[in-house]
Amino acid sequence: MVFTQVPPQPPTTRGLPACHELPAAIGALRRQRKAVILAHYYQEDAIQDIADFIGDSLELSRKAASTDAEVIVFCGVHFMAETAKILNPSKTVLVPDLEAGCSLADDCPSEAFAAFRADHPDHTVVSYINCSAAVKAQSDLICTSSNAVQLVQQLPVDRPILFAPDQNLGRWVARQSGRELTLWPGSCIVHDTFSEQALLQLSQEHPGAEVIAHPECQQHLLDLADFIGSTSKLLQRAEQSSATSFIVLTEPGILHQMRLRVPHKQFFEVPGADGCSCNACPYMRLNTLEKLWQCLHDMAPEIVMDEELRLKALGPIERMLAMSR
Ligand code: 13P
Ligand code: SF4
């Protein structure tokens, strides 16, 4: 997927520090650029270790809204960095790899979404933050996996609700909130991949382990989970539960924080069907320490947005932040 951008300056890999020098070199560039590094829990361990702030989509949006840094380097995927730009038009928002998209956002093109809305003119439109600015701009309200239930419960009961683009999350929100949702038929390629057979096998091998799952997983897997929540809620659960082992149904990047925060507990990732490693998000994993150094060095690639689109997308994001205080 190619995003609208200022043509990046040709990268100058000359000068790239040696691997072991990268963390210190990134630290120096970060001070020089007066930058803050925000990272999602699915980033590789080394990026999580160097970030100023790590969080889920909601926490990262809040952090992006409140930071006073002049430059935000967003180690996550494009829709996250774009949200940071929508909230901070005067700041420079950089991403290590502009190709870091998201299958949910890609599978919900704005023209098709406009037609879906037009077919349901009386509905309140709630969009998961994993979508493009063009889809956000057509929505009444944005949500993340950590506040979706809480937000949907606040919506007037006399208006039906459209929910896009994740049907797995939408089904879970409908069950939790007791509201009926009309769903856009999208799903995440990573959360669609977990093998039920491998999960059952792991549960058999570790009978005391709690199964904790992200709501983007398919329903047959959520039905086997002891706890369901956003990445930050899964992390909290790992810290607070009396269980000492966990089978984790989400992208395995989160296991790094779990192991750091509760080192005496055990965590098991669930492989994809056929034992593939497609449980790792191919978009999130495009970002590397080298690209992080490069983007701070070049001040590119940068997220640049059309102002009219930004303003349209801002309203539903601000509504989300106000409603989930
Ligand atoms: P969280 O908001 O729970 O971190 O989820 C983001 C995401 O992309 C999950 O696939
Ligand atoms: Fe998108 Fe799925 Fe990757 Fe999350 S894990 S960023 S939903 S593709």
Side-chain angles (χ1 to χ4, degrees):
M1 164 120 215
V2 177
F3 299 104
T4 316
Q5 60 159 320
V6 163
Q9 299 161 20
T12 44
T13 39
R14 211 154 32 110
L16 180 72
C19 239
H20 67 281
E21 292 169 348
L22 270 173
I26 290 169
L29 271 177
R30 164 175 45 198
R31 284 188 293 281
Q32 188 188 328
R33 305 295 196 198
K34 297 188 173 45
V36 65
I37 301 175
L38 307 184
H40 188 264
Y41 293 123
Y42 295 165
Q43 292 294 282
E44 63 176 41
D45 299 358
I47 291 182
Q48 293 189 37
D49 291 344
I50 211 169
D52 296 298
F53 183 83
I54 321 171
D56 70 5
S57 307
L58 180 61
E59 293 164 337
L60 289 167
S61 305
R62 285 194 177 125
K63 197 70 190 173
S66 67
T67 184
D68 52 13
E70 289 167 18
V71 175
I72 299 172
V73 184
F74 213 114
C75 297
V77 289
H78 187 273
F79 75 80
M80 295 177 174
E82 192 173 58
T83 304
K85 184 66 184 178
I86 292 167
L87 289 162
N88 290 288
S90 63
K91 293 187 176 162
T92 303
V93 178
L94 305 174
V95 280
D97 192 322
L98 201 62
E99 293 297 311
C102 168
S103 66
L104 278 168
D106 288 353
D107 290 346
C108 189
S110 86
E111 305 73 27
F113 184 68
F116 181 61
R117 276 185 60 222
D119 287 343
H120 304 85
D122 55 335
H123 285 53
T124 302
V125 182
V126 181
S127 294
Y128 187 31
I129 197 163
N130 298 37
C131 65
S132 65
V135 168
K136 288 186 176 77
Q138 300 180 56
S139 307
D140 297 307
L141 180 63
I142 300 304
C143 69
T144 73
S145 56
S146 72
N147 63 17
V149 175
Q150 180 201 352
L151 296 193
V152 162
Q153 280 170 335
Q154 293 176 54
L155 294 175
V157 286
D158 57 347
R159 265 190 87 187
I161 300 170
L162 278 193
F163 189 90
D166 188 343
Q167 57 182 329
N168 293 321
L169 175 68
R171 250 180 238 117
W172 178 72
V173 171
R175 283 204 306 278
Q176 296 296 305
S177 64
R179 297 295 301 271
E180 199 176 308
L181 308 183
T182 300
L183 305 174
W184 175 271
S187 55
C188 156
I189 51 165
V190 175
H191 289 83
D192 260 358
T193 199
F194 297 115
S195 153
E196 180 172 342
Q197 203 190 346
L199 170 63
L200 294 173
Q201 174 81 27
L202 278 165
S203 292
Q204 219 170 45
E205 287 164 12
H206 308 281
E210 238 182 46
V211 177
I212 59 176
H214 195 279
E216 284 180 17
C217 291
Q218 293 178 351
Q219 183 162 345
H220 66 107
L221 295 174
L222 294 182
D223 289 344
L224 298 171
D226 300 303
F227 180 84
I228 299 167
S230 68
T231 50
S232 58
K233 290 193 176 159
L234 297 181
L235 195 49
Q236 236 172 50
R237 179 71 181 185
E239 290 176 289
Q240 292 169 1
S241 164
S242 58
T244 55
S245 57
F246 299 84
I247 299 168
V248 185
L249 277 163
T250 195
E251 216 272 3
I254 186 84
L255 269 61
H256 181 56
Q257 286 306 310
M258 290 176 171
R259 288 176 176 138
L260 284 176
R261 294 195 195 178
V262 271
H264 60 288
K265 296 192 178 182
Q266 270 193 308
F267 299 95
F268 306 101
E269 62 179 272
V270 182
D274 308 326
C276 66
S277 61
C278 32
N279 60 354
C281 175
Y283 307 99
M284 289 276 184
R285 302 306 177 113
L286 283 175
N287 296 325
T288 60
L289 224 46
E290 287 79 4
K291 289 179 193 170
L292 172 54
W293 177 86
Q294 194 75 57
C295 94
L296 270 165
H297 179 269
D298 297 345
M299 291 295 279
E302 180 183 352
I303 302 281
V304 179
M305 286 197 72
D306 170 74
E307 182 61 5
E308 202 183 321
L309 174 62
R310 188 192 73 79
L311 287 172
K312 282 187 188 150
L314 179 63
I317 297 173
E318 286 187 329
R319 220 162 285 137
M320 167 185 82
L321 293 174
M323 285 170 72
S324 56
R325 257 188 207 122

